């Protein structure tokens, strides 16, 4: 949304949807004429259900609220068979209460908070059980990644957005290493953000902006950031292309979008490689049942290319027990074991005998890491692309 325009409204005939975005804070009756015209046109044109997409309606004053209430009343009077579904996001904290008041008055209207479960794995991802896993991962990935970031275009003094920032430790490391002009970090997990804000406070860092938000519907202006990151995140969403479009939108022309994702199918440990391979194959199946693809890493080149990015660069971080502190690597696998045999296995109703075999497989991977003659690897793919400059 262009920051110079307070709101936009558009009727999508194919979806029977009116999308209202931005800031609806009119000063007078005349300011609402485009809203009335669009809503009335949509109500007259559709049958069944009319969707009011309010996910990106960030601000609403009383006059704007009354206009929406009057529209619902007109629909109830003039189109008694028409259902209205108001689709809202928890990223707008006042929306559930305020719009809930309307559904109490008008029985033809319902409110749907879409991001209660906007991706299948949300319940097992956005809770504090994953915090130890994320923390241990960053401890070993950062040392490999800091130089890659430079090769992919990150430099001092730029504007950075870290989307799906998790527990915020990567944003803190970026802040220390690259001294960006601005860094905005966004996540949809309240436990993660609470941890991130507390960690930044303890480290005396006050100039990282942490936002609660949905990566597929960001409240960030278009063409704003020089460097947009989303690390180990696309792999958990069943529709990563929705997030990719938002990353493209908020990136400045000429800026870069930087991604990392795994290829779990190539996690390896020798000796006992049969057990290790089975463990990750089984884990991938469990994750896939929740819409996740933890072998999406090599596909990022196509994702970036298909969206029109230029100068797409791709490389791999091979984290092994020969280039990483052995005990740190072992702790990562042990944190996976605890999470996958606990939280994930419960969510996917994995049989007890399978869980026991998973325990053994993760321990076999740890054995390979610690063994004097063993070799273990965790492959992470890194990709970035440049947003094209406007055609003159």
């Amino acid at each position: 949304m262009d920051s110079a325009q307070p709101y936009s409204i558009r009727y999508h005939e194919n979806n029977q949807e009116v999308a209202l975005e931005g800031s609806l804070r009119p000063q007078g009756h005349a300011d609402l004429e485009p809203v009335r015209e669009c809503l009335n046109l949509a109500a007259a044109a559709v049958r069944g259900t009319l969707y009011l997409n309010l996910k990106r309606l960030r601000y609403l004053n009383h006059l704007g609220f009354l206009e929406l209430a009057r529209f619902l009343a007109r629909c109830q009077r003039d189109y008694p068979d028409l259902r209205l579904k108001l689709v809202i996001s928890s990223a707008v904290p006042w929306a559930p209460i305020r719009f809930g008041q309307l559904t109490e008055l008008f029985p033809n209207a319902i409110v749907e908070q879409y991001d209660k479960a906007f991706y299948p794995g949300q319940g097992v991802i956005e809770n504090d059980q994953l915090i130890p896993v994320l923390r241990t991962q960053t401890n070993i990935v950062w040392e490999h990644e800091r130089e890659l970031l430079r090769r992919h275009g990150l430099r001092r003094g730029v504007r950075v957005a870290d989307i799906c920032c998790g527990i915020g430790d990567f944003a803190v490391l970026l802040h220390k290493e690259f001294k960006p002009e601005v860094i905005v970090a966004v996540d949809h997990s309240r436990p993660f953000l609470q941890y991130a804000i507390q960690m930044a406070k303890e480290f005396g860092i006050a100039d990282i902006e942490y936002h609660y938000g949905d990566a597929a519907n960001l409240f960030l202006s278009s063409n704003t950031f020089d460097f947009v990151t989303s690390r180990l995140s696309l792999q958990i969403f069943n529709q990563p292309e929705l997030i990719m479009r938002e990353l493209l939108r908020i990136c400045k022309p000429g800026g870069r979008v930087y991604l990392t994702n795994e290829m779990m199918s190539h996690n390896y440990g020798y000796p006992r490689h049969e057990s290790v391979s089975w463990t990750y194959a089984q884990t991938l199946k469990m994750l896939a049942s929740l819409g996740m693809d933890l072998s999406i890493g090599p596909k990022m080149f196509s994702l970036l290319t298909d969206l029109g990015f230029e100068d797409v660069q791709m490389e791999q971080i091979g984290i092994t027990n020969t280039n990483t502190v052995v005990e740190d690597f072992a702790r990562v696998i042990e944190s996976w074991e605890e999470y996958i045999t606990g939280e994930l296995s419960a969510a996917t109703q994995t049989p007890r005998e399978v869980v026991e075999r998973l325990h053994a497989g993760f321990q076999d991977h740890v054995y390979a890491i610690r063994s004097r003659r063993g070799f273990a690897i965790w492959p992470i793919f890194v990709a970035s692309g440049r947003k094209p400059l406007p055609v003159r």
Side-chain angles (χ1 to χ4, degrees), residues 243-271:
I243 296 171
M244 288 291 297
R245 292 192 190 108
E246 283 292 88
L247 303 181
L248 174 65
R249 181 183 66 81
I250 67 173
C251 185
K252 287 181 181 178
R256 295 192 75 85
V257 168
Y258 170 90
L259 310 170
T260 69
N261 285 286
E262 297 178 59
M263 192 177 187
M264 183 175 279
S265 58
H266 281 48
N267 287 3
Y268 182 80
Y270 183 89

Side-chain angles (χ1 to χ4, degrees), residues 157-354:
V158 300
R159 298 176 62 87
V160 177
D162 184 20
I163 308 304
C164 304
C165 69
I167 60 173
D169 45 359
F170 179 71
V172 167
L173 290 166
L174 280 186
H175 179 274
K176 292 179 177 179
E177 183 82 10
F178 291 95
K179 302 292 188 286
E181 176 191 348
V182 171
I183 181 163
V184 176
V186 180
D187 205 274
H188 193 265
S189 167
R190 294 192 187 277
F192 292 176
L193 282 178
Q194 290 170 0
Y195 184 96
I197 292 168
Q198 181 61 34
M199 181 174 61
K201 182 179 179 181
E202 289 179 2
F203 292 169
I205 299 172
D207 46 358
I208 298 176
E209 298 179 28
Y210 288 104
H211 294 185
Y212 174 69
D214 161 19
N217 290 279
L218 293 166
F219 287 123
L220 297 174
S221 298
S222 300
N223 305 316
T224 300
F225 297 95
D226 304 289
F227 199 82
V228 179
T229 72
S230 186
R231 299 171 61 263
L232 301 178
S233 300
L234 295 180
Q235 60 193 35
I236 69 171
F237 294 101
N238 62 323
Q239 294 182 289
E241 65 278 4
L242 300 181
I243 296 171
M244 288 291 297
R245 292 192 190 108
E246 283 292 88
L247 303 181
L248 174 65
R249 181 183 66 81
I250 67 173
C251 185
K252 287 181 181 178
R256 295 192 75 85
V257 168
Y258 170 90
L259 310 170
T260 69
N261 285 286
E262 297 178 59
M263 192 177 187
M264 183 175 279
S265 58
H266 281 48
N267 287 3
Y268 182 80
Y270 183 89
R272 306 180 184 177
H273 61 280
E274 294 90 350
S275 171
V276 173
S277 296
W278 179 90
T279 295
Y280 290 108
Q282 178 62 33
T283 300
L284 281 169
K285 292 177 185 177
M286 295 161 63
L287 293 166
S289 72
L290 297 175
M292 303 185 211
D293 179 6
L294 264 74
S295 284
I296 197 175
K299 305 170 190 175
M300 294 186 297
F301 191 94
S302 294
L303 285 172
L304 288 163
T305 302
D306 292 347
L307 274 173
F309 283 92
E310 300 174 340
D311 185 30
V312 177
Q313 299 179 22
M314 185 97 168
E315 52 191 306
Q316 181 182 346
I317 303 174
I319 295 177
T320 75
N321 56 337
T322 63
N323 64 14
T324 301
V325 176
V326 166
E327 284 308 309
D328 288 347
F329 192 4
R331 275 192 288 272
V332 168
I333 306 306
E334 288 168 344
S335 73
W336 291 356
E337 177 187 358
E338 181 177 354
Y339 181 76
I340 290 167
T341 61
E343 187 83 5
L344 182 61
S345 293
T348 54
Q349 299 181 332
T350 302
R352 180 182 299 178
E353 61 273 18
V354 175

Side-chain angles (χ1 to χ4, degrees), residues 68-88:
L68 293 177
R70 292 189 187 102
F71 171 69
L72 295 183
R74 287 196 301 273
C75 287
Q76 188 165 286
R77 181 193 67 215
D78 298 338
Y79 309 103
D81 295 330
L82 182 64
R83 297 181 300 276
L84 295 111
K85 181 176 286 191
L86 285 66
V87 184
I88 64 171

